[in-house]
């Protein structure tokens, strides 16, 4: 039995699979020339970037439903006011960006969205200037997300190595 608050197994699964996918989706385009050589062409790099980005969006929607049903454990002490504010606001912005980044990726293109070659989501017709606006939004929010994820990781490591509390374990250990 764990003596510290724990996220549910479902919440851990959503958290770690989203984390892995965000890294893959970002690296696919940041190292697109290398990835294209490995995967066999630029079209497959973009297909994977977009399709896995859609999976990240679906995981985020599922996360919202799970939080609504199960809530979230209170892993920080009530006295840790500043840490609670910093941690909750970073997490809140990450959640908002996990909706905005994939949605703006979809809306910036005038072409249908092909998901894993299996599903085609029709494009939404709009003036070119609006597509351009979503294009800029996608790039800016994607880099903002990357920065917040790095801050989030540093925060978790600070708890583990410096404060030596159980915040990281609340998202790591297996629930029986
Ligand atoms: C969590 C999901 C996503 C993340 C973290 C993400 C991240 C990024 C990043 C960092 C870039 C810039 C790469 C560079 O500077 O070369 C980018 C570009 C791009 N993304 Fe995403 N993206 C996501 C989802 C999507 C989705 C769902 C789509 C389309 C449906 C999409 C379509 C694109 C396209 C077409 C580009 C290239 C834009 C250009 O080169 O001008 N992305 N994305």
């Amino acid at each position: 039995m764990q003596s510290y608050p724990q996220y549910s197994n479902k919440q851990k699964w959503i958290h770690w699979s989203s984390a892995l996918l965000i890294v893959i989706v970002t690296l696919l385009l940041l190292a697109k020339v290398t990835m294209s050589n490995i995967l066999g062409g630029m079209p497959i790099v973009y297909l994977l970037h977009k399709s896995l980005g859609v999976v990240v969006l679906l995981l985020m929607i599922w996360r919202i439903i799970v939080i609504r049903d199960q809530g979230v454990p209170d892993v920080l002490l009530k006295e840790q006011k500043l840490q609670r504010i910093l941690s909750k606001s970073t997490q809140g912005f990450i959640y908002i960006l996990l909706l905005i980044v994939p949605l703006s990726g979809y809306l910036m293109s005038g072409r249908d969205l092909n998901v894993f070659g299996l599903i085609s989501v029709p494009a939404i017709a709009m003036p070119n200037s609006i597509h351009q606006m979503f294009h800029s939004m996608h790039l800016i929010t994607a880099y903002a997300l990357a920065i917040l994820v790095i801050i989030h990781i540093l925060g978790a490591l600070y708890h583990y190595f410096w404060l030596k509390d159980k915040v990281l374990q609340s998202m790591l250990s297996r629930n029986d």
Side-chain angles (χ1 to χ4, degrees):
M1 206 52 186
Q2 315 288 349
S3 58
Y4 46 89
Q6 284 282 301
Y7 285 89
S8 69
N9 285 335
K10 210 183 274 177
Q11 287 171 326
K12 287 175 188 167
W13 197 92
I14 294 172
H15 177 269
W16 291 110
S17 49
S18 301
L20 179 66
L21 288 175
I22 291 165
V23 171
I24 296 173
V25 166
T26 306
L27 285 182
L28 271 169
L29 282 204
L30 291 189
K32 60 184 166 202
V33 177
T34 313
M35 290 298 176
S36 163
N37 291 335
I38 295 170
L39 296 169
M42 214 42 103
I44 184 86
V45 171
Y46 277 92
L47 178 83
L48 282 176
H49 177 85
K50 295 176 184 184
S51 305
L52 296 175
V54 171
V55 178
V56 172
L57 175 66
L58 296 177
L59 282 171
M60 187 57 222
I61 294 168
W62 186 22
R63 187 196 299 251
I64 292 169
I65 295 167
V66 172
I67 290 176
R68 189 200 59 191
D69 293 346
Q70 302 181 339
V72 281
D74 217 357
V75 294
L76 291 172
L77 299 172
K78 295 268 179 291
E79 307 83 71
Q80 297 174 304
K81 284 209 175 88
L82 181 65
Q83 278 177 40
R84 286 173 77 92
I85 294 169
L86 290 175
S87 149
K88 294 278 174 206
S89 48
T90 311
Q91 228 166 302
F93 280 123
I94 289 177
Y95 288 174
I96 292 168
L97 291 176
L98 285 178
L99 295 170
I100 295 178
V101 173
L103 281 174
S104 58
Y106 163 57
L107 293 169
M108 76 191 203
S109 169
R111 277 185 281 164
D112 295 355
L113 169 60
N114 178 351
V115 185
F116 294 116
L118 298 171
I119 302 166
S120 178
V121 184
I124 298 175
M126 50 184 112
N128 212 25
S129 57
I130 306 289
H131 285 307
Q132 281 302 322
M133 193 266 291
F134 281 118
H135 181 226
S136 308
M137 185 188 282
H138 186 67
L139 297 186
I140 294 166
T141 53
Y143 284 111
L145 175 65
I147 293 167
L148 284 179
V149 167
I150 291 168
I151 294 173
H152 179 71
I153 295 169
L154 291 176
L157 295 177
Y158 171 69
H159 277 279
Y160 187 76
F161 288 109
W162 191 265
L163 301 178
K164 299 190 191 310
D165 59 19
K166 301 288 184 191
V167 167
L168 183 58
Q169 281 90 327
S170 68
M171 192 49 100
L172 272 177
S173 332
R174 256 184 83 84
N175 294 337
D176 301 321

